[in-house]
Amino acid sequence: MKNAYRAFKQYSRQFRNNWLEYLMLFGGLDLVNQFAVIPFFRWITTFVLQAGEIPFVSYQNIIIILTKHPLVVISLVVELACLLIIVYGEFMLLLTGFREIGLPDFQWRQIFKETRKAMSLLNLGSLILLLGYFLLVIPFADIIFRTPLLAKIQIPQFIIDYLMRNGWLISGLLLFYVAMFTLGIRLILTMPLMAYQHLHLRTAIHRSWQMTSNLRWAALLGKIAFITIITSAFTMCFYVLIYLLQVGLDLLPGKFPLFTAIFNLSILQLGGELLAVWAGTVVLLVVVNPLTRISELATASEHPSRGLLEIFTLMLLVIGLTTVANNTFYLLGHGVKRPITISHRGVAEENGVQNTIPAMEKTIKLKPDYVEMDLHETKDHQFVVMHDENLKELAGVNKTPHELTLKQLTNLTVRENGHYAKIASFDQYLAVAEKHHQKLLIEIKTTPHDSKQMLQNFNARYGKRILRDHDQVHSLDYSVVTGLKEINPRLTVLYIQPYNFGSPQGAADGYSMEYSTLNQDFITQAHWQRQPVYAWTVNESGIMKQVMYNHVDGIITDNLGELNATIKEFTKKQSYANRILNYIIILPTTSGIEP
């Protein structure tokens, strides 16, 4: 603990002496990624997919892409390789910058010169190894340099939620994380070794493994954990002070509280960025110090060249003015709209069995805008309200919907959360929804056993009623989206995406996106095309506020009561201090050094 505290003080002093250089290093990479790298790769991905007439990449069409679109596959692999090279180059630039900043003869051009040398160590054969390395060290790299270039490499939350339902799967998930964590900390010195000792990737991996043996990794991890806790505590205290200050200022008359709130929120954002750079700097210095005695050479370096400083200042000024404008709109409540509320599988707070009529009737009392429910085709080409492809978990029958007739299915009883009910046909479910004037969001499930005329039959039987009731349809199967839009263009059909990859495009009228990989960029682009975006499945108040802040159009949830309360709190007229508090609650996923 004493060594960790000494390192914290020492490297905090290093940051204080050269804070402008560190801010320019982190901030410069941030700006390059935000305004150049990310837009370019998004455009390239969209262009490649459009050229191959592929609207989206998902688990359902990945085999088709691999077998029928070799040029698209080659293009995406080349794009991935280029992205890896850029990420590698950015980390080399960052590491080289940390070695050079503080030296008496520090010059910015020297950083770029040394980075070019480090880039020469990379070859085609090491790219796959490099991808594996990034997968392992992301949890640690994220503490220092959070970047959406690697942010998409994550397990979507719905998969983790599924794994957490089974004891064996939980054990497997924990073992996976322990293995990833162990390998990540043992290999954390790989890129610093490449940057400072010009070792090739394989040699650097081997050397990092040796240097972290005999529990030396534990001492390094202890320092990282201590510094992370201390800097997080400083950051939280800063946020609380800003909030409490605004609580007092809100008591003043006139427009003065608004002006102070705009100023305080802007200071909170600027201070948060500076604190994030400080935390990243101190942690990175702890990691790299065993390889280069930066602390012994740490002095107050010369200021950057006037031209470089002027360019950086101008860019920050533009961003600052944009931030102030956005903060003004946010604090005044402009642009904060009530999202559509959607009950997932027709339940709310476990008030019944999913996709059953009794549960829907209870849920309707909470006044959702839509009740989301699932359809399967039956053996006799009817439609039953059911999510799972096997009836064993809910009904105790090891059969699939397509193996039974509708009459056989509706005679079965399903049980969940201490409730039980009969399986409903879509005709029964739709009739009850119409009786209560309840709109539906209908998910069409598909299997290889579905009839070729399934979509035609669905539209013939229900198309007019769906249009009359203002219901909507969505599906994980993109062929359902294109097929229904071809059969009945008037239907509103959304595409469900379990993973955010690429930009919105294609025949869909909108998107249902898994929330953990959904970001504001995707939502903004969809809105440019006048397409709504729903987030699923959002069950926590903090995440509900986050997606509302990102202007999502609808929220699909299992906890409709909590969603109603959160929307009321978030959209109501409230004090400026509370708006700042709401921002702080969603801050971890919407700000920070995120190039």
Side-chain angles (χ1 to χ4, degrees), residues 224-239:
I224 293 174
F226 176 81
I227 291 169
T228 302
I229 293 170
I230 293 295
T231 53
S232 298
F234 269 99
T235 303
M236 188 52 60
C237 288
F238 171 69
Y239 293 156

Side-chain angles (χ1 to χ4, degrees), residues 277-559:
V277 173
W278 166 54
T281 298
V282 175
V283 171
L284 187 53
L285 288 173
V286 165
V287 173
V288 304
N289 188 56
L291 305 177
T292 175
R293 298 296 178 181
I294 293 177
S295 58
E296 296 177 2
L297 301 171
T299 60
S301 60
E302 296 181 7
H303 289 299
S305 66
R306 184 175 178 180
L308 187 62
L309 186 58
E310 286 177 350
I311 294 173
F312 186 72
T313 303
L314 179 62
M315 296 183 74
L316 286 182
L317 181 61
V318 172
I319 294 172
L321 291 174
T322 304
T323 299
V324 169
N326 288 336
N327 290 344
T328 303
F329 280 106
Y330 170 69
L331 290 165
L332 289 172
H334 298 326
V336 177
K337 66 175 183 178
R338 177 189 178 277
I340 292 169
T341 59
I342 306 167
S343 168
H344 186 226
R345 302 186 192 175
V347 297
E349 281 79 19
E350 299 184 349
N351 62 354
V353 185
Q354 58 177 280
N355 284 307
T356 61
I357 291 174
M360 176 179 62
E361 290 181 318
K362 293 177 186 176
T363 300
I364 286 173
K365 296 176 182 178
L366 295 174
K367 299 181 179 180
D369 294 304
Y370 287 87
V371 164
E372 192 264 355
M373 39 79 67
D374 307 277
L375 291 186
H376 272 285
E377 189 183 37
T378 66
K379 183 179 180 180
D380 52 348
H381 308 314
Q382 305 296 315
F383 292 92
V384 67
V385 183
M386 173 64 61
H387 174 274
D388 296 350
E389 291 188 17
N390 192 292
L391 300 164
K392 187 173 183 179
E393 184 173 346
L394 294 179
V397 177
N398 190 19
K399 295 284 186 179
T400 59
H402 79 271
E403 292 178 308
L404 301 175
T405 65
L406 183 64
K407 184 176 181 180
Q408 290 172 319
L409 286 162
T410 53
N411 283 331
L412 294 175
T413 299
V414 285
R415 292 173 172 80
E416 187 180 39
N417 300 323
H419 304 277
Y420 63 91
K422 289 289 185 181
I423 294 176
S425 70
F426 185 44
D427 288 283
Q428 294 169 331
Y429 201 92
L430 183 58
V432 174
E434 289 176 335
K435 176 183 175 182
H436 293 280
H437 305 288
Q438 175 61 60
K439 291 185 288 187
L440 299 178
L441 177 59
I442 305 158
E443 178 176 349
I444 296 180
K445 295 285 188 180
T446 60
T447 72
H449 307 284
D450 295 327
S451 65
K452 293 181 180 180
Q453 301 300 315
M454 182 185 73
L455 294 182
Q456 286 86 344
N457 293 338
F458 174 81
N459 179 67
R461 295 174 191 173
Y462 307 111
K464 290 181 180 179
R465 292 175 71 178
I466 289 172
L467 289 170
R468 183 191 65 204
D469 298 338
H470 303 287
D471 296 334
Q472 297 181 355
V473 180
H474 67 169
S475 180
L476 271 164
D477 190 337
Y478 191 72
S479 65
V480 169
V481 177
T482 56
L484 275 182
K485 292 303 293 182
E486 209 172 290
I487 295 168
N488 191 344
R490 295 175 60 200
L491 288 176
T492 300
V493 187
L494 291 80
Y495 180 44
I496 303 174
Q497 290 187 264
Y499 204 88
N500 178 14
F501 184 89
S503 302
Q505 57 172 315
D509 295 307
Y511 306 92
S512 297
M513 180 79 72
E514 200 276 330
Y515 79 86
S516 64
T517 60
L518 177 62
N519 57 39
Q520 194 167 13
D521 285 343
F522 185 94
I523 296 171
T524 300
Q525 291 180 64
H527 287 173
W528 286 345
Q529 301 176 40
R530 298 184 179 180
Q531 296 171 320
V533 178
Y534 301 159
W536 61 271
T537 303
V538 186
N539 292 328
E540 297 176 14
S541 179
I543 300 172
M544 292 171 184
K545 290 179 179 180
Q546 173 201 330
V547 296
M548 280 190 281
Y549 182 84
N550 287 337
H551 306 295
V552 77
D553 300 281
I555 297 176
I556 302 173
T557 182
D558 295 314
N559 300 327

